[in-house]
Amino acid sequence: MSVYSKFADHILIDLLKKDDQLAYTEIFERYSRVLVNHAYKILNNRDEANDVVQEVFLSIWNRRMELIITGTLSSYLYKATKNRILNHIAHEKVVSRYVDSISNFIENDYVFADSKLRERELESIIAKEIALLPEKMREVFLLRKVEELSYDEIALQLNITDKTAKQQVYNSLKILRLKLKSTLHIFVW
């Protein structure tokens, strides 16, 4: 048993301010266990409770020369521990929000970006296949599907019957379906 164990807290603090490592060790021995138990009741995690208390004592050691304690040492240590716990919880919430944000990005934005990329690739493939259609069929198809003209309007513009216009669109869709069938299954999950 050390002679320091007989000293009152205020004497240990004075010795600590004079860089006395044994005074620091006595303060640690006197209060660390009870502070860890206190932190554990709040955090429900023994390792986190130990870390919080270690941080409190490390801070005391690092600031020992300018340490100002009004009131009792025990109340100062409890308050310092409580503040560290609150900082720890706030940090955990920030980390949790960050992880949630990253997860949300991966689940939504990344998938959205990926689907936009696949959509552009698919549009490019479809445009190439449309370009390969016979000229008159392509012209009727584009007037109907891109310009959104009625079959009657197409018939008047191209000097064909509306029945021919319908048949050309039907034939072009049939060709496109056949050519794109193998490509489309790649784009569907």
Side-chain angles (χ1 to χ4, degrees):
M1 188 156 113
S2 162
V3 69
Y4 285 84
S5 65
K6 297 176 185 171
F7 293 156
D9 288 348
H10 70 278
I11 293 172
L12 290 172
I13 293 167
D14 288 341
L15 291 170
L16 177 64
K17 288 181 180 182
K18 294 175 184 167
D19 216 18
D20 190 322
Q21 290 181 359
L22 292 174
Y24 173 78
T25 302
E26 180 58 34
I27 293 169
F28 182 84
E29 296 287 326
R30 199 174 282 183
Y31 290 103
S32 65
R33 190 173 301 127
V34 71
L35 292 173
V36 167
N37 288 334
H38 174 67
Y40 177 72
K41 287 177 187 173
I42 298 168
L43 296 170
N44 292 320
N45 183 309
R46 185 66 64 183
D47 290 335
E48 290 178 6
N50 278 316
D51 289 347
V52 164
V53 172
Q54 290 293 331
E55 290 172 13
V56 167
F57 278 101
L58 180 62
S59 175
I60 288 171
W61 178 255
N62 289 337
R63 294 181 27 241
R64 66 190 175 278
M65 302 296 184
E66 65 267 356
L67 197 61
I68 300 170
I69 298 177
T70 55
T72 66
L73 176 59
S74 62
S75 66
Y76 175 85
L77 290 171
Y78 272 101
K79 186 174 182 179
T81 302
K82 181 189 83 169
N83 288 337
R84 289 283 174 174
I85 290 168
L86 293 175
N87 288 345
H88 177 76
I89 291 169
H91 176 73
E92 288 300 311
K93 285 183 180 177
V94 167
V95 168
S96 178
R97 279 198 307 267
Y98 178 73
V99 168
D100 289 346
S101 172
I102 292 295
S103 296
N104 190 29
F105 170 77
I106 289 169
E107 290 171 8
N108 296 322
D109 294 342
Y110 177 75
V111 170
F112 177 74
D114 187 49
S115 68
K116 283 293 187 189
L117 177 64
R118 284 185 286 135
E119 185 179 315
R120 283 195 302 269
E121 288 173 1
L122 186 57
E123 285 173 356
S124 173
I125 291 168
I126 291 171
K128 286 176 187 171
E129 292 301 329
I130 291 171
L132 294 174
L133 290 172
E135 186 180 337
K136 277 291 182 191
M137 190 182 290
R138 181 177 61 246
E139 187 177 7
V140 171
F141 178 81
L142 291 174
L143 288 172
R144 176 69 181 157
K145 296 298 181 181
V146 177
E147 310 251 347
E148 298 179 351
L149 297 180
S150 70
Y151 290 114
D152 289 334
E153 291 170 322
I154 295 169
L156 280 173
Q157 187 171 332
L158 298 178
N159 200 25
I160 58 174
T161 66
D162 65 327
K163 190 173 181 178
T164 302
K166 285 180 189 176
Q167 189 61 46
Q168 290 285 8
V169 171
Y170 173 80
N171 290 342
S172 57
L173 285 172
K174 189 174 174 184
I175 291 168
L176 290 173
R177 277 191 199 107
L178 271 173
K179 289 186 174 186
L180 296 173
K181 189 175 183 181
S182 61
T183 307
L184 286 178
H185 80 277
I186 295 170
F187 288 90
V188 178
W189 308 18

